[in-house]
């Protein structure tokens, strides 16, 4: 569907849970979040109804996210049902990777096309610090399990943080010399837990190009990522600059939260509830939500935090 600003909206991000098995400092509160009543959250049936409504309006790509999608009971079954909806061309998932050794094969069999695995450091101690409780080896095992299950073109999402992992930029780029993966550096956003964290830690993606001058532009974009490559390397590097660039003109996505709110824009507090609606009502409400998608976000920097009104784990990045 084309929105009021001539953007083709064909991408839906679906958060299937607010819960997570990690506690990344820039994303979630230290004590996690209180588990909410079942009745407040979307059922699997409602999530599928919403995705079917979105497909009727021209959505072809769905990303399953969270919270951590792999802690959601029945996740592989849900992914399979999504992949089977006529009109869906691509089902992707963003995961912290910890549970991939258990789920990678099931996800592949369910029809999940691609995985983004979040990994901000290759140092075990730093990993435990940033996630507050995680073990680096679990994610590395998850990456292997995904490759063994046959996933190709895996993307590693690495949030850049000054004084934390900017000294590892070269090491992350090195991963692309060895394997056909894409390492995506993402600028830290002042949203949720990132609001206080961001003040000292923001580093622009330009830093990657300064540190690794061998990176050559591939003169192509993939969604919001600008792509680069070390000449001759099997993998590639993506730079995602939500802060130093504005993507609004080409934004093709809407989001569905685990409690049934459509967020037409990540950085706006505008939320439209679809929980409890019948199929036709969902389609109509979704259509209006797309038409209400703002033309652009407001200023976003250390003095102007996101107006999203939720932590990232309650939206779905
Ligand atoms: N738990 C899964 C994971 O970590 O991949 C999926 C959900 S997580 C909210 C999705 C992505 O959002 C992750 O790659 C995470 O690093 C990113 N993210 C969370 N908070 C962020 C922030 N303040 N700025 C930039 N990216 C953020
Ligand atoms: Fe969990 Fe992902 Fe947020 Fe980390 S970034 S706390 S893994 S939802």
């Amino acid at each position: 569907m084309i929105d009021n600003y001539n953007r083709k909206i064909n991408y839906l991000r679906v958060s299937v849970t607010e819960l997570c098995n990690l506690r990344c400092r820039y994303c979630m509160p230290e004590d996690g979040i209180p588990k909410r009543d079942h009745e407040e959250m979307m059922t699997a049936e409602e999530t599928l109804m919403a995705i079917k409504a979105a497909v009727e309006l021209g959505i072809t790509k769905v990303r399953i996210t969270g919270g951590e999608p792999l802690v959601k009971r029945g996740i592989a079954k849900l992914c399979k049902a999504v992949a089977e909806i006529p009109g869906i061309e691509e089902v992707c998932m963003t995961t912290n990777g910890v549970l991939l050794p258990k789920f990678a094969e099931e996800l592949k069999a369910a029809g999940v096309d691609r995985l983004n695995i979040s990994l901000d450091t290759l140092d075990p101690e730093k990993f435990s610090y940033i996630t507050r409780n995680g073990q680096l080896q679990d994610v590395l095992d998850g990456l292997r399990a995904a490759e063994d299950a046959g996933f190709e073109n895996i993307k590693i999402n690495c949030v850049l943080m000054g004084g934390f992992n900017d000294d590892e930029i070269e090491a992350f780029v090195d991963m692309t010399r060895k394997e056909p993966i894409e390492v995506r550096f993402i600028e830290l956003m002042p949203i949720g837990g990132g609001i206080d964290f961001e003040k000292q830690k923001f580093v622009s993606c330009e830093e990657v190009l300064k540190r690794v001058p061998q990176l050559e532009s591939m003169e192509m974009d993939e969604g919001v990522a600008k792509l680069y490559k070390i000449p001759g390397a099997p993998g590639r590097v993506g730079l995602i600059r939500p802060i130093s660039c504005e993507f609004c003109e080409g934004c093709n996505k809407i989001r569905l939260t685990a409690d049934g709110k459509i967020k037409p824009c990540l950085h706006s507090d505008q939320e439209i509830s679809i929980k409890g609606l019948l199929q036709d009502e969902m389609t109509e409400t979704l259509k209006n939500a797309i038409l209400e998608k703002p033309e652009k976000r407001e200023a976003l920097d250390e003095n102007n935090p996101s107006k999203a009104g939720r932590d990232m784990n309650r939206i779905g990045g």
Side-chain angles (χ1 to χ4, degrees), residues 17-28 65-69 94-98 118 120 130-132 159 312-314:
T17 179
E18 299 180 346
L19 304 177
C20 187
N21 46 359
L22 298 181
R23 297 279 180 275
C24 301
R25 287 171 187 267
Y26 52 76
C27 178
M28 263 185 109
T65 178
E68 172 48 40
T94 303
T95 167
N96 61 32
V98 168
S118 301
D120 300 327
I130 201 71
T131 60
R132 291 198 182 101
V159 176
M312 274 298 266
N313 69 295
R314 297 194 53 233

Side-chain angles (χ1 to χ4, degrees), residues 24-236:
C24 301
R25 287 171 187 267
Y26 52 76
C27 178
M28 263 185 109
E30 182 162 12
D31 297 333
I33 51 156
K35 196 157 190 258
R36 294 168 64 186
D37 280 348
H38 265 307
E39 300 83 70
E40 292 178 59
M41 310 310 280
M42 291 285 271
T43 62
E45 290 69 32
E46 284 174 322
T47 302
L48 286 170
M49 279 168 67
I51 297 173
K52 282 181 191 152
V55 169
E56 271 184 52
L57 298 170
I59 297 292
T60 55
K61 173 174 173 178
V62 169
R63 176 171 301 279
I64 307 291
T65 178
E68 172 48 40
L70 295 182
V71 303
K72 173 82 180 168
R73 199 175 305 153
I75 187 65
K77 195 169 158 213
L78 179 64
C79 290
K80 185 166 189 293
V82 175
E84 284 171 353
I85 296 174
I88 289 287
E89 293 171 8
E90 208 178 353
V91 181
C92 306
M93 179 181 283
T94 303
T95 167
N96 61 32
V98 168
L99 292 174
L100 278 176
K102 183 170 171 204
F103 285 109
E105 284 189 9
E106 257 186 279
L107 295 177
K108 186 73 189 156
V112 173
D113 296 291
R114 285 193 295 113
L115 293 177
N116 286 40
I117 301 176
S118 301
L119 179 60
D120 300 327
T121 172
L122 299 168
D123 178 293
E125 278 180 24
K126 281 160 78 176
F127 186 86
S128 295
Y129 168 79
I130 201 71
T131 60
R132 291 198 182 101
N133 62 0
Q135 300 295 320
L136 173 66
Q137 195 56 47
D138 291 343
V139 184
L140 299 179
D141 291 346
L143 174 58
R144 278 301 145 251
E147 288 171 336
D148 291 348
F151 282 100
E152 293 178 351
N153 303 317
I154 294 171
K155 299 192 171 96
I156 303 287
N157 284 3
C158 175
V159 176
L160 268 180
M161 290 167 271
F164 176 72
N165 62 3
D166 49 345
D167 60 336
E168 294 187 67
I169 290 173
E170 290 89 341
F172 273 103
V173 172
D174 263 354
M175 293 173 79
T176 73
R177 294 180 199 262
K178 297 169 201 143
E179 295 186 69
I181 56 171
E182 181 177 319
V183 171
R184 314 187 115 196
F185 293 101
I186 303 171
E187 288 174 349
L188 180 63
M189 292 183 284
I191 181 170
I195 293 179
D196 291 332
F197 207 64
E198 203 253 358
K199 291 208 164 71
Q200 336 104 38
K201 303 259 182 237
F202 176 77
V203 176
S204 153
C205 271
E206 290 309 309
E207 191 61 26
V208 175
L209 300 177
K210 274 193 212 145
R211 298 232 184 186
V212 193
Q214 307 93 297
L215 280 171
E216 282 182 357
S217 169
M218 295 176 70
E219 305 292 344
M220 61 190 265
D221 302 344
E222 192 187 51
V224 291
K226 290 233 173 290
L227 295 180
Y228 296 80
K229 208 171 172 25
I230 295 283
R236 53 195 197 177

Side-chain angles (χ1 to χ4, degrees), residues 248-294:
C248 304
E249 207 181 316
C251 183
N252 64 345
K253 48 172 123 37
I254 53 171
R255 290 174 163 83
L256 171 62
T257 66
D259 57 352
K261 307 289 190 294
I262 295 291
K263 280 188 91 68
C265 169
L266 169 61
H267 295 296
S268 160
D269 63 1
Q270 179 191 26
E271 297 185 347
I272 300 115
S273 183
I274 57 164
K275 185 166 167 57
L277 299 184
L278 302 173
Q279 184 74 67
D280 287 353
E281 294 168 337
M282 273 199 189
T283 310
E284 195 54 29
T285 308
L286 212 56
K287 185 171 161 192
N288 290 332
I290 292 175
L291 292 175
E292 284 171 31
K293 187 171 163 70

